[in-house]
Amino acid sequence: MRSWTSEGARATEERETFFRALAPRLSVQGAEVEELAELRDRSWRSAIFAVRYESRASGGLPAGIRPFVQLEAGSARVAPAEDRAISSWVHDYVIQESKAVAAGLADNRPAAVSCLRPEVTLLEKIEAIARRYARDPFEPASFVRHYEDVARILAGDATAPPAELRELLEDMKESRDIRAWPGHDDPCWSPQTDTDRWTRLEEAWVAAGPLFWGERIPLVNCAREIRRLLRILAR
């Protein structure tokens, strides 16, 4: 691929050719795969595919939840990564509730999938929040979930120590995966700075409730943890 970022006619045409060739090659057992043209990047820098399985349950889904598995294809950072085993709630539930039933199931769970380290997602989402917060028109529903995603990563036990995070941040800046790193005093972390935008953020946070399960982390708490991290990384 000549370029994933150029919007010139030749580069755009190359990306279009790539994605049009990719679409018919995506095969998922027991499902139909369809490219969502309405969600495609206008310059063909990425494409989104819907993987639709046959429905086995009746009733609608909560607002904001799409009735398919969404595949996003494009240029993205793939390192640092680690191999992780992948399971499912259904499989885990069956094993826990009935060993007899589980014995008759084919264990098709992948044992080693290369997964991007959470630190990369952490840094990418922090930058994305600041960038989208400052954008007009202001569309909080498109990024408000990133606050909670970052807070969940920080609350986990897999995050690298500050020294390694700083090293990764510098590497991502050099590779242009991070272009505009925010400070701890950015308005997107301070509810008192712009009450109108923060009111709309809070409304979007509430509306995104169906996308989450279990106890949620309040938006102001998420912002506080991100501010704390940014201060540490700035030392």
Side-chain angles (χ1 to χ4, degrees):
M1 188 68 61
R2 189 179 305 273
S3 173
W4 281 100
T5 58
S6 171
E7 295 194 20
R10 186 173 181 181
T12 299
E13 183 179 352
E14 284 186 347
R15 294 193 296 266
E16 179 180 356
T17 300
F18 171 82
F19 284 119
R20 291 200 183 280
L22 173 65
R25 287 173 168 79
L26 293 175
S27 177
V28 180
Q29 184 177 0
E32 295 182 355
V33 182
E34 172 195 8
E35 196 229 335
L36 300 177
E38 66 275 15
L39 298 181
R40 181 198 306 144
D41 181 81
R42 64 182 178 84
S43 297
W44 288 91
R45 287 168 297 192
S46 62
I48 296 178
F49 301 87
V51 181
R52 303 184 190 275
Y53 290 89
E54 180 184 354
S55 177
R56 299 294 179 89
S58 60
L61 294 171
I65 298 181
R66 292 171 175 165
F68 51 79
V69 176
Q70 181 169 304
L71 295 181
E72 300 179 4
S75 175
R77 188 183 184 95
V78 295
E82 62 184 8
D83 287 346
R84 300 293 295 269
I86 304 296
S87 186
S88 71
W89 292 345
V90 173
H91 209 121
D92 293 345
Y93 176 80
V94 171
I95 292 175
Q96 178 180 345
E97 295 298 318
S98 175
K99 292 183 178 180
V101 174
L105 294 178
D107 191 348
N108 59 358
R109 295 173 296 177
V113 176
S114 181
C115 298
L116 191 67
R117 287 284 305 172
E119 291 88 351
V120 177
T121 301
L122 171 78
L123 300 177
E124 287 178 339
K125 284 183 177 284
I126 287 175
E127 185 202 34
I129 290 171
R131 184 177 66 252
R132 296 190 186 186
Y133 183 93
R135 182 183 297 171
D136 287 312
F138 183 61
E139 299 175 339
S142 69
F143 69 93
V144 69
R145 70 187 185 281
H146 293 341
Y147 284 88
E148 211 157 345
D149 291 344
V150 171
R152 293 289 179 187
I153 294 173
L154 289 174
D157 58 3
T159 307
E164 292 184 25
L165 271 181
R166 291 189 194 98
E167 184 177 347
L168 176 60
L169 176 59
E170 291 307 312
D171 182 60
M172 293 178 70
K173 286 179 178 179
E174 185 176 346
S175 64
R176 303 292 287 168
D177 292 313
I178 295 289
R179 294 172 180 266
W181 186 246
H184 69 86
D185 56 349
D186 192 285
C188 60
W189 324 123
S190 305
Q192 301 83 6
T193 304
D194 189 336
T195 55
D196 176 63
R197 293 205 172 198
W198 267 86
T199 297
R200 294 171 62 187
L201 268 177
E202 292 281 4
E203 293 171 348
W205 181 87
V206 172
L211 300 176
F212 293 81
W213 62 92
E215 185 176 356
R216 298 188 64 191
I217 304 177
L219 202 56
V220 292
N221 292 6
C222 296
R224 182 184 65 236
E225 292 305 309
I226 297 171
R227 283 199 309 270
R228 185 181 68 83
L229 174 66
L230 290 174
R231 289 193 181 98
I232 292 173
L233 295 181
R235 293 174 186 168

